[in-house]
Amino acid sequence: MTPAAFDAAENLPDDWRDALLLGRIDFGDGPSPVIVAGGIVHDMSRVAPTVSLLIEAGAFDPSQGVAVGTLDTLELSVTGAHPRLLSPIDLQCVKASGVTFAVSAVERVIEERARGDAMAARDMRDRLETSIGGSIRSVTPGSTEAAALKAVLIAEGLWSQYLEVAIGPDAEIFTKSPVLSTVGWGAAVGVRSDSDWNNPEPEVVVIADPHGKAVGATLGNDVNLRDFEGRSALLLGKAKDNNASCALGPFIRLFDDGFTIDDVRAAEVALTIEGNDGYVLRGSSSMREISRDPLELLRQAMSEHHFPDGFALFCGTMFAPTQDRDHPGRGFTHKVGDVVTIASDRLGRLVNPVMHACDAPAWVDGIGATMRNLAARGLIGTGR
């Protein structure tokens, strides 16, 4: 079920009237970057036609834009009506870091050993958690102590490629989804119709400029297929990148005197899944327990690369859904119609219903369509 119209008071940060927010709204003629300051929405499209260019220019002064109303009176839609709230990023590359929390490392090892079988996973969870959970939590990735732990785990036959990225020097960094493919607040998220073990991944997403500097953060759902990735790590692309499989929003909260990277480090992320069958699952993820600092993850994402339009980086999650849904030992998996809510006090609430990826609205507004729209609106040159 698609959520009702966007309610600012319900879905924005607790202190949203004091926050500096960046997002995208389609007012009827195409996507426009907007800055929200003091609760007032400012159309910034004449300052910079895309969010990526606005970030590159650091043009966050709302007075340069055109005030279009207050956020709580705009009656933002998520369907065909306008104004329509969109994902807050556009031309940025979407990257993600995995296995950044000890509990997620354990669950990835379980997936690997169970080869994507949820029933088999139950039988090894307790043994692996007892054997390696505490050890992983106590070491700094890439440290001498981590190398010593690796040697012990290899000797005990417990080593895994997932533990390598959990405690080794190199973080797992992968490309989550193509440019412009992300969905925003209220839009359906998609899971493959041929997956029978999958889950949301509630995460804090750091937004970086072309130089890799963090400029703000938002919430994200890194939809994951545990059965596909569990069968083989080489299926990561199929497990992670599908139609509507990446949600962001509702807005990017820009860093300022009242919100900094330290607030990201301290963020508590809550998750609620509500099914049409009456099923409710609640979980949480604390950024205080992350193994690698968000800025270290940004550094590793940049590495020897270039992102001329900037990038968004999912920081990972400690949420691992093991609560049974229908059958003992089967754990959790999505059903069509589930509503996923990811919330954090200083970032707001990201709400998305679940559909099969093949049934979710087709992604049609790619780079070409975006450039044509901007040219037609006179926001970019039309010369060849």
Short mmCIF file of all heavy atoms in Angstrom, two decimals, residues 151-203:
data_model
loop_
_atom_site.label_atom_id
_atom_site.label_comp_id
_atom_site.label_asym_id
_atom_site.label_seq_id
_atom_site.Cartn_x
_atom_site.Cartn_y
_atom_site.Cartn_z
N ALA A 151 44.40 -15.35 11.79
CA ALA A 151 45.19 -16.58 11.83
C ALA A 151 44.51 -17.66 12.65
O ALA A 151 44.49 -18.83 12.28
CB ALA A 151 46.59 -16.28 12.38
N VAL A 152 43.92 -17.26 13.79
CA VAL A 152 43.22 -18.21 14.65
C VAL A 152 42.00 -18.78 13.94
O VAL A 152 41.75 -20.00 13.96
CB VAL A 152 42.82 -17.54 15.98
CG1 VAL A 152 41.90 -18.46 16.79
CG2 VAL A 152 44.05 -17.17 16.79
N LEU A 153 41.22 -17.91 13.29
CA LEU A 153 40.00 -18.35 12.62
C LEU A 153 40.31 -19.27 11.44
O LEU A 153 39.58 -20.22 11.17
CB LEU A 153 39.20 -17.14 12.16
CG LEU A 153 38.62 -16.27 13.29
CD1 LEU A 153 37.97 -15.03 12.72
CD2 LEU A 153 37.61 -17.05 14.12
N ILE A 154 41.39 -19.00 10.73
CA ILE A 154 41.80 -19.88 9.64
C ILE A 154 42.14 -21.26 10.19
O ILE A 154 41.72 -22.29 9.64
CB ILE A 154 43.01 -19.29 8.88
CG1 ILE A 154 42.56 -18.06 8.08
CG2 ILE A 154 43.63 -20.33 7.95
CD1 ILE A 154 43.72 -17.32 7.41
N ALA A 155 42.88 -21.28 11.31
CA ALA A 155 43.26 -22.56 11.93
C ALA A 155 42.04 -23.35 12.39
O ALA A 155 42.04 -24.59 12.37
CB ALA A 155 44.20 -22.30 13.10
N GLU A 156 40.98 -22.64 12.79
CA GLU A 156 39.77 -23.31 13.28
C GLU A 156 38.78 -23.62 12.16
O GLU A 156 37.70 -24.16 12.40
CB GLU A 156 39.08 -22.43 14.32
CG GLU A 156 39.88 -22.26 15.60
CD GLU A 156 39.17 -21.38 16.63
OE1 GLU A 156 38.06 -20.88 16.30
OE2 GLU A 156 39.72 -21.19 17.72
N GLY A 157 39.14 -23.28 10.92
CA GLY A 157 38.26 -23.54 9.79
C GLY A 157 37.06 -22.62 9.72
O GLY A 157 36.03 -22.98 9.13
N LEU A 158 37.14 -21.44 10.33
CA LEU A 158 36.02 -20.52 10.38
C LEU A 158 36.22 -19.29 9.51
O LEU A 158 35.39 -18.38 9.51
CB LEU A 158 35.77 -20.07 11.83
CG LEU A 158 35.25 -21.13 12.79
CD1 LEU A 158 35.19 -20.58 14.22
CD2 LEU A 158 33.87 -21.61 12.36
N TRP A 159 37.32 -19.25 8.75
CA TRP A 159 37.58 -18.05 7.97
C TRP A 159 36.63 -17.95 6.78
O TRP A 159 36.13 -18.93 6.26
CB TRP A 159 39.02 -18.02 7.48
CG TRP A 159 39.40 -16.70 6.87
CD1 TRP A 159 39.73 -16.43 5.58
CD2 TRP A 159 39.44 -15.44 7.54
NE1 TRP A 159 39.99 -15.10 5.41
CE2 TRP A 159 39.81 -14.46 6.60
CE3 TRP A 159 39.20 -15.05 8.86
CZ2 TRP A 159 39.95 -13.12 6.93
CZ3 TRP A 159 39.33 -13.71 9.18
CH2 TRP A 159 39.71 -12.76 8.22
N SER A 160 36.36 -16.71 6.38
CA SER A 160 35.43 -16.45 5.29
C SER A 160 35.83 -15.17 4.59
O SER A 160 36.45 -14.27 5.18
CB SER A 160 34.00 -16.30 5.86
OG SER A 160 33.16 -15.60 4.98
N GLN A 161 35.43 -15.06 3.32
CA GLN A 161 35.67 -13.82 2.58
C GLN A 161 34.97 -12.64 3.24
O GLN A 161 35.41 -11.49 3.13
CB GLN A 161 35.15 -13.98 1.15
CG GLN A 161 33.67 -14.32 1.07
CD GLN A 161 33.26 -14.84 -0.29
OE1 GLN A 161 33.88 -14.49 -1.29
NE2 GLN A 161 32.22 -15.66 -0.33
N TYR A 162 33.88 -12.90 3.96
CA TYR A 162 33.16 -11.82 4.63
C TYR A 162 33.93 -11.33 5.85
O TYR A 162 33.89 -10.15 6.19
CB TYR A 162 31.76 -12.28 5.03
CG TYR A 162 30.87 -12.52 3.83
CD1 TYR A 162 30.53 -13.82 3.45
CD2 TYR A 162 30.41 -11.46 3.07
CE1 TYR A 162 29.73 -14.03 2.33
CE2 TYR A 162 29.61 -11.67 1.95
CZ TYR A 162 29.28 -12.96 1.59
OH TYR A 162 28.50 -13.17 0.48
N LEU A 163 34.63 -12.24 6.52
CA LEU A 163 35.45 -11.81 7.65
C LEU A 163 36.65 -11.00 7.18
O LEU A 163 37.14 -10.12 7.89
CB LEU A 163 35.90 -13.02 8.46
CG LEU A 163 34.77 -13.82 9.12
CD1 LEU A 163 35.31 -15.02 9.87
CD2 LEU A 163 33.95 -12.93 10.06
N GLU A 164 37.10 -11.28 5.97
CA GLU A 164 38.22 -10.50 5.42
C GLU A 164 37.86 -9.02 5.33
O GLU A 164 38.65 -8.15 5.71
CB GLU A 164 38.59 -11.03 4.03
CG GLU A 164 39.67 -10.23 3.32
CD GLU A 164 41.00 -10.23 4.06
OE1 GLU A 164 41.43 -11.31 4.52
OE2 GLU A 164 41.61 -9.15 4.18
N VAL A 165 36.65 -8.71 4.86
CA VAL A 165 36.27 -7.30 4.76
C VAL A 165 35.75 -6.76 6.09
O VAL A 165 35.65 -5.55 6.26
CB VAL A 165 35.22 -7.07 3.65
CG1 VAL A 165 35.82 -7.38 2.29
CG2 VAL A 165 33.96 -7.88 3.88
N ALA A 166 35.43 -7.65 7.04
CA ALA A 166 34.97 -7.19 8.35
C ALA A 166 36.13 -6.73 9.22
O ALA A 166 36.03 -5.72 9.92
CB ALA A 166 34.20 -8.29 9.07
N ILE A 167 37.26 -7.46 9.17
CA ILE A 167 38.36 -7.11 10.07
C ILE A 167 39.68 -6.87 9.33
O ILE A 167 40.67 -6.50 9.94
CB ILE A 167 38.59 -8.20 11.15
CG1 ILE A 167 39.05 -9.52 10.52
CG2 ILE A 167 37.32 -8.39 11.97
CD1 ILE A 167 39.41 -10.58 11.57
N GLY A 168 39.69 -7.06 8.01
CA GLY A 168 40.91 -6.80 7.24
C GLY A 168 41.09 -5.32 6.96
O GLY A 168 40.25 -4.48 7.33
N PRO A 169 42.16 -4.96 6.27
CA PRO A 169 42.45 -3.53 6.03
C PRO A 169 41.52 -2.87 5.01
O PRO A 169 41.35 -1.66 5.02
CB PRO A 169 43.89 -3.55 5.52
CG PRO A 169 44.06 -4.91 4.92
CD PRO A 169 43.24 -5.83 5.77
N ASP A 170 40.91 -3.67 4.13
CA ASP A 170 40.11 -3.10 3.04
C ASP A 170 38.63 -3.32 3.27
O ASP A 170 38.17 -4.45 3.45
CB ASP A 170 40.51 -3.74 1.70
CG ASP A 170 41.95 -3.47 1.35
OD1 ASP A 170 42.35 -2.30 1.34
OD2 ASP A 170 42.70 -4.45 1.08
N ALA A 171 37.87 -2.22 3.25
CA ALA A 171 36.42 -2.31 3.39
C ALA A 171 35.80 -2.83 2.11
O ALA A 171 36.36 -2.70 1.02
CB ALA A 171 35.84 -0.93 3.72
N GLU A 172 34.62 -3.45 2.25
CA GLU A 172 33.85 -3.83 1.06
C GLU A 172 33.13 -2.58 0.55
O GLU A 172 32.30 -2.00 1.24
CB GLU A 172 32.82 -4.91 1.39
CG GLU A 172 31.99 -5.29 0.17
CD GLU A 172 30.80 -6.18 0.49
OE1 GLU A 172 30.40 -6.23 1.67
OE2 GLU A 172 30.27 -6.80 -0.44
N ILE A 173 33.46 -2.19 -0.67
CA ILE A 173 32.80 -1.05 -1.31
C ILE A 173 32.30 -1.53 -2.67
O ILE A 173 33.08 -2.06 -3.47
CB ILE A 173 33.77 0.14 -1.52
CG1 ILE A 173 34.42 0.57 -0.19
CG2 ILE A 173 33.04 1.30 -2.17
CD1 ILE A 173 33.51 1.26 0.78
N PHE A 174 31.02 -1.35 -2.93
CA PHE A 174 30.48 -1.77 -4.22
C PHE A 174 29.51 -0.73 -4.74
O PHE A 174 29.06 0.15 -4.01
CB PHE A 174 29.79 -3.15 -4.11
CG PHE A 174 28.66 -3.20 -3.12
CD1 PHE A 174 27.35 -2.96 -3.50
CD2 PHE A 174 28.90 -3.52 -1.78
CE1 PHE A 174 26.30 -3.03 -2.58
CE2 PHE A 174 27.86 -3.59 -0.86
CZ PHE A 174 26.56 -3.34 -1.25
N THR A 175 29.19 -0.82 -6.02
CA THR A 175 28.21 0.08 -6.62
C THR A 175 26.83 -0.51 -6.43
O THR A 175 26.57 -1.63 -6.86
CB THR A 175 28.52 0.30 -8.11
OG1 THR A 175 29.81 0.89 -8.23
CG2 THR A 175 27.49 1.23 -8.73
N LYS A 176 25.95 0.23 -5.79
CA LYS A 176 24.63 -0.28 -5.43
C LYS A 176 23.65 -0.21 -6.60
O LYS A 176 22.90 -1.16 -6.85
CB LYS A 176 24.10 0.51 -4.22
CG LYS A 176 22.61 0.33 -3.92
CD LYS A 176 22.24 -1.10 -3.56
CE LYS A 176 20.74 -1.23 -3.33
NZ LYS A 176 20.33 -2.61 -3.04
N SER A 177 23.58 0.92 -7.27
CA SER A 177 22.58 1.08 -8.33
C SER A 177 23.01 2.17 -9.30
O SER A 177 23.84 3.02 -8.95
CB SER A 177 21.21 1.41 -7.73
OG SER A 177 21.23 2.64 -7.05
N PRO A 178 22.45 2.17 -10.51
CA PRO A 178 22.85 3.16 -11.51
C PRO A 178 22.42 4.58 -11.15
O PRO A 178 21.51 4.79 -10.34
CB PRO A 178 22.12 2.69 -12.78
CG PRO A 178 21.78 1.26 -12.54
CD PRO A 178 21.54 1.16 -11.06
N VAL A 179 23.08 5.53 -11.77
CA VAL A 179 22.72 6.93 -11.62
C VAL A 179 21.26 7.15 -11.99
O VAL A 179 20.77 6.62 -12.99
CB VAL A 179 23.64 7.80 -12.50
CG1 VAL A 179 23.12 9.24 -12.59
CG2 VAL A 179 25.07 7.77 -11.98
N LEU A 180 20.54 7.88 -11.14
CA LEU A 180 19.14 8.26 -11.33
C LEU A 180 18.14 7.13 -11.11
O LEU A 180 16.95 7.30 -11.35
CB LEU A 180 18.91 8.89 -12.71
CG LEU A 180 19.42 10.32 -12.87
CD1 LEU A 180 19.42 10.73 -14.34
CD2 LEU A 180 18.56 11.29 -12.07
N SER A 181 18.59 5.97 -10.63
CA SER A 181 17.67 4.84 -10.45
C SER A 181 17.06 4.77 -9.07
O SER A 181 16.16 3.95 -8.84
CB SER A 181 18.40 3.53 -10.74
OG SER A 181 19.37 3.25 -9.73
N THR A 182 17.50 5.60 -8.12
CA THR A 182 17.00 5.49 -6.76
C THR A 182 15.57 6.01 -6.65
O THR A 182 15.15 6.88 -7.41
CB THR A 182 17.89 6.25 -5.76
OG1 THR A 182 17.89 7.65 -6.08
CG2 THR A 182 19.32 5.73 -5.81
N VAL A 183 14.83 5.46 -5.69
CA VAL A 183 13.46 5.92 -5.43
C VAL A 183 13.44 6.67 -4.10
O VAL A 183 14.32 6.49 -3.26
CB VAL A 183 12.45 4.75 -5.42
CG1 VAL A 183 12.44 4.06 -6.77
CG2 VAL A 183 12.77 3.75 -4.30
N GLY A 184 12.42 7.49 -3.92
CA GLY A 184 12.35 8.31 -2.72
C GLY A 184 11.27 7.87 -1.76
O GLY A 184 10.73 6.76 -1.84
N TRP A 185 10.96 8.77 -0.82
CA TRP A 185 9.94 8.51 0.20
C TRP A 185 8.61 8.14 -0.46
O TRP A 185 8.15 8.79 -1.40
CB TRP A 185 9.76 9.75 1.07
CG TRP A 185 8.82 9.56 2.22
CD1 TRP A 185 9.17 9.29 3.52
CD2 TRP A 185 7.38 9.61 2.20
NE1 TRP A 185 8.04 9.17 4.29
CE2 TRP A 185 6.93 9.36 3.51
CE3 TRP A 185 6.45 9.85 1.20
CZ2 TRP A 185 5.57 9.35 3.85
CZ3 TRP A 185 5.09 9.82 1.52
CH2 TRP A 185 4.67 9.58 2.84
N GLY A 186 8.00 7.06 0.03
CA GLY A 186 6.68 6.68 -0.43
C GLY A 186 6.63 5.82 -1.66
O GLY A 186 5.61 5.17 -1.94
N ALA A 187 7.72 5.79 -2.45
CA ALA A 187 7.74 4.97 -3.66
C ALA A 187 7.95 3.50 -3.28
O ALA A 187 8.51 3.19 -2.23
CB ALA A 187 8.85 5.44 -4.59
N ALA A 188 7.50 2.60 -4.14
CA ALA A 188 7.68 1.18 -3.88
C ALA A 188 9.14 0.79 -4.00
O ALA A 188 9.87 1.30 -4.86
CB ALA A 188 6.85 0.35 -4.85
N VAL A 189 9.60 -0.09 -3.10
CA VAL A 189 10.90 -0.73 -3.26
C VAL A 189 10.67 -2.14 -3.79
O VAL A 189 9.65 -2.78 -3.48
CB VAL A 189 11.71 -0.77 -1.94
CG1 VAL A 189 12.18 0.61 -1.57
CG2 VAL A 189 10.91 -1.39 -0.81
N GLY A 190 11.62 -2.62 -4.59
CA GLY A 190 11.42 -3.88 -5.27
C GLY A 190 12.34 -5.00 -4.80
O GLY A 190 13.54 -4.79 -4.60
N VAL A 191 11.77 -6.19 -4.63
CA VAL A 191 12.55 -7.41 -4.43
C VAL A 191 12.25 -8.34 -5.60
O VAL A 191 11.12 -8.36 -6.12
CB VAL A 191 12.23 -8.12 -3.10
CG1 VAL A 191 12.60 -7.23 -1.92
CG2 VAL A 191 10.76 -8.51 -3.01
N ARG A 192 13.23 -9.09 -6.04
CA ARG A 192 13.02 -9.99 -7.16
C ARG A 192 11.93 -11.01 -6.85
O ARG A 192 11.85 -11.54 -5.73
CB ARG A 192 14.32 -10.72 -7.51
CG ARG A 192 15.36 -9.85 -8.19
CD ARG A 192 16.60 -10.67 -8.53
NE ARG A 192 16.27 -11.74 -9.45
CZ ARG A 192 16.44 -11.69 -10.77
NH1 ARG A 192 16.92 -10.58 -11.32
NH2 ARG A 192 16.13 -12.71 -11.53
N SER A 193 11.13 -11.32 -7.85
CA SER A 193 10.03 -12.27 -7.67
C SER A 193 10.52 -13.69 -7.46
O SER A 193 9.77 -14.53 -6.94
CB SER A 193 9.09 -12.21 -8.87
OG SER A 193 9.78 -12.54 -10.07
N ASP A 194 11.78 -13.98 -7.85
CA ASP A 194 12.32 -15.33 -7.68
C ASP A 194 13.20 -15.45 -6.44
O ASP A 194 13.94 -16.42 -6.28
CB ASP A 194 13.10 -15.76 -8.92
CG ASP A 194 14.16 -14.74 -9.35
OD1 ASP A 194 14.27 -13.67 -8.72
OD2 ASP A 194 14.87 -15.03 -10.34
N SER A 195 13.11 -14.50 -5.52
CA SER A 195 13.83 -14.57 -4.24
C SER A 195 12.87 -14.97 -3.13
O SER A 195 11.77 -14.43 -3.02
CB SER A 195 14.45 -13.21 -3.91
OG SER A 195 14.96 -13.20 -2.58
N ASP A 196 13.29 -15.92 -2.30
CA ASP A 196 12.44 -16.30 -1.16
C ASP A 196 13.12 -16.09 0.19
O ASP A 196 12.66 -16.58 1.21
CB ASP A 196 11.98 -17.75 -1.29
CG ASP A 196 13.12 -18.76 -1.38
OD1 ASP A 196 14.27 -18.38 -1.08
OD2 ASP A 196 12.86 -19.92 -1.75
N TRP A 197 14.24 -15.31 0.18
CA TRP A 197 14.88 -14.95 1.45
C TRP A 197 15.53 -13.59 1.23
O TRP A 197 16.56 -13.47 0.59
CB TRP A 197 15.92 -15.99 1.86
CG TRP A 197 16.46 -15.80 3.26
CD1 TRP A 197 15.88 -15.12 4.28
CD2 TRP A 197 17.70 -16.30 3.76
NE1 TRP A 197 16.68 -15.16 5.41
CE2 TRP A 197 17.79 -15.89 5.12
CE3 TRP A 197 18.72 -17.07 3.22
CZ2 TRP A 197 18.88 -16.23 5.92
CZ3 TRP A 197 19.81 -17.39 4.02
CH2 TRP A 197 19.88 -16.98 5.36
N ASN A 198 14.89 -12.53 1.72
CA ASN A 198 15.35 -11.18 1.46
C ASN A 198 14.96 -10.27 2.61
O ASN A 198 14.17 -10.65 3.47
CB ASN A 198 14.78 -10.67 0.13
CG ASN A 198 13.29 -10.92 0.02
OD1 ASN A 198 12.50 -10.31 0.73
ND2 ASN A 198 12.90 -11.84 -0.86
N ASN A 199 15.49 -9.09 2.61
CA ASN A 199 15.20 -8.17 3.72
C ASN A 199 15.61 -6.74 3.38
O ASN A 199 16.42 -6.52 2.47
CB ASN A 199 15.95 -8.60 4.98
CG ASN A 199 17.46 -8.58 4.82
OD1 ASN A 199 18.05 -9.60 4.46
ND2 ASN A 199 18.09 -7.44 5.09
N PRO A 200 15.05 -5.76 4.12
CA PRO A 200 15.54 -4.39 3.99
C PRO A 200 16.85 -4.24 4.75
O PRO A 200 17.15 -5.04 5.64
CB PRO A 200 14.43 -3.57 4.66
CG PRO A 200 13.91 -4.49 5.72
CD PRO A 200 14.00 -5.88 5.14
N GLU A 201 17.62 -3.25 4.39
CA GLU A 201 18.81 -2.90 5.17
C GLU A 201 18.75 -1.41 5.48
O GLU A 201 19.01 -0.58 4.62
CB GLU A 201 20.09 -3.27 4.41
CG GLU A 201 20.26 -4.78 4.27
CD GLU A 201 21.64 -5.20 3.81
OE1 GLU A 201 22.45 -4.33 3.44
OE2 GLU A 201 21.92 -6.41 3.83
N PRO A 202 18.37 -1.07 6.72
CA PRO A 202 18.24 0.34 7.10
C PRO A 202 19.61 0.95 7.36
O PRO A 202 20.36 0.47 8.22
CB PRO A 202 17.41 0.26 8.38
CG PRO A 202 17.75 -1.08 8.97
CD PRO A 202 18.01 -1.99 7.81
N GLU A 203 19.94 2.01 6.64
CA GLU A 203 21.29 2.55 6.74
C GLU A 203 21.29 4.08 6.73
O GLU A 203 20.38 4.72 6.20
CB GLU A 203 22.15 2.04 5.58
CG GLU A 203 22.20 0.51 5.51
CD GLU A 203 23.19 0.00 4.48
OE1 GLU A 203 24.17 0.73 4.17
OE2 GLU A 203 22.99 -1.13 3.99
#
